[in-house]
């Protein structure tokens, strides 16, 4: 009986300490840090992809046009238009995210792009796309946090 009481007490003590530690971490990290890291990480993924499609600021490369003609093949949108849309979105929306400007809308735009990529271009890459979507959904739902231009402008 005494052994059982000690085991139960030890478990409660461990659980209490664990929960106290979790509470401290949650207060230290919080939404504002999570939102900043989420904005920077997903912005980096898309910005780097966008830079591979262009020369200079926004001159679409011939290789990009060819990718959209042969590999990407998005239905209903001509490859030349899709190439320009993709390069523009991947260049400018990440900048908005880094600033935390129009965060929810920007994340929603990238979520739409992620969905198109998953459905029409690389359906077998769903683990990667799911991780992107998780970040984007967090930002759509919670916004850019206090460390954003949105917050400075009073946008939640």
């Amino acid at each position: 009986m005494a052994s059982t009481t000690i085991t139960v007490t030890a478990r409660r003590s461990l659980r209490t300490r664990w929960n106290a530690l979790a509470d401290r971490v949650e207060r230290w990290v919080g939404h504002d840090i999570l939102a900043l890291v989420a904005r920077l990480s997903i912005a980096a993924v898309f910005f780097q992809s966008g830079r591979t499609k262009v020369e200079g600021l926004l001159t679409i490369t011939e290789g990009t046009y060819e990718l959209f003609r042969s590999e990407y093949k998005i239905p209903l949108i001509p490859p030349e238009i899709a190439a320009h849309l993709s390069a523009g979105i991947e260049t400018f929306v990440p900048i908005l995210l880094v600033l935390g400007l129009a965060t929810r809308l920007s994340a929603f735009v990238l979520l739409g792009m992620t969905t198109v990529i998953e459905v029409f271009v690389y359906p077998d890459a769903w683990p990667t796309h799911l991780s992107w979507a998780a970040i984007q959904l967090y930002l759509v739902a919670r916004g850019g946090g206090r460390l954003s231009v949105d917050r400075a402008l009073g946008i939640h």
Side-chain angles (χ1 to χ4, degrees):
M1 177 78 167
S3 156
T4 305
T5 304
I6 292 170
T7 305
V8 170
T9 304
R11 272 194 232 144
R12 284 186 186 146
S13 177
L14 180 60
R15 183 176 53 220
T16 301
R17 287 190 310 232
W18 175 260
N19 288 343
L21 175 62
D23 289 342
R24 282 194 300 277
V25 170
E26 185 177 349
R27 280 191 304 274
W28 184 77
V29 175
H31 164 65
D32 299 318
I33 298 296
L34 289 174
L36 177 62
V37 171
R39 289 184 357 240
L40 296 176
S41 63
I42 202 66
V45 169
F46 281 86
F47 189 77
Q48 287 178 337
S49 176
R51 298 314 303 155
T52 67
K53 294 175 175 67
V54 298
E55 292 174 348
L57 182 60
L58 273 179
T59 303
I60 309 296
T61 64
E62 187 53 44
T64 298
Y65 288 126
E66 185 54 37
L67 272 174
F68 278 87
R69 284 184 205 112
S70 62
E71 187 174 338
Y72 295 168
K73 295 182 185 178
I74 299 167
L76 305 175
I77 302 175
E80 292 74 17
I81 293 174
H84 282 277
L85 282 172
S86 176
I89 290 169
E90 290 180 330
T91 298
F92 294 111
V93 173
I95 293 169
L96 293 174
L97 281 177
V98 167
L99 296 172
L101 180 58
T103 301
R104 293 175 194 264
L105 177 61
S106 298
F108 187 74
V109 167
L110 293 183
L111 181 61
M113 189 169 191
T114 299
T115 302
V116 168
I117 295 167
E118 171 58 30
V119 171
F120 297 112
V121 182
Y122 296 123
D124 291 338
W126 65 266
T128 298
H129 300 148
L130 187 59
S131 67
W132 296 353
I135 295 167
Q136 295 155 350
L137 284 168
Y138 180 83
L139 292 171
V140 168
R142 300 288 309 272
R146 282 189 285 184
L147 305 172
S148 68
V149 173
D150 286 343
R151 187 55 58 98
L153 297 174
I155 301 168
H156 297 282

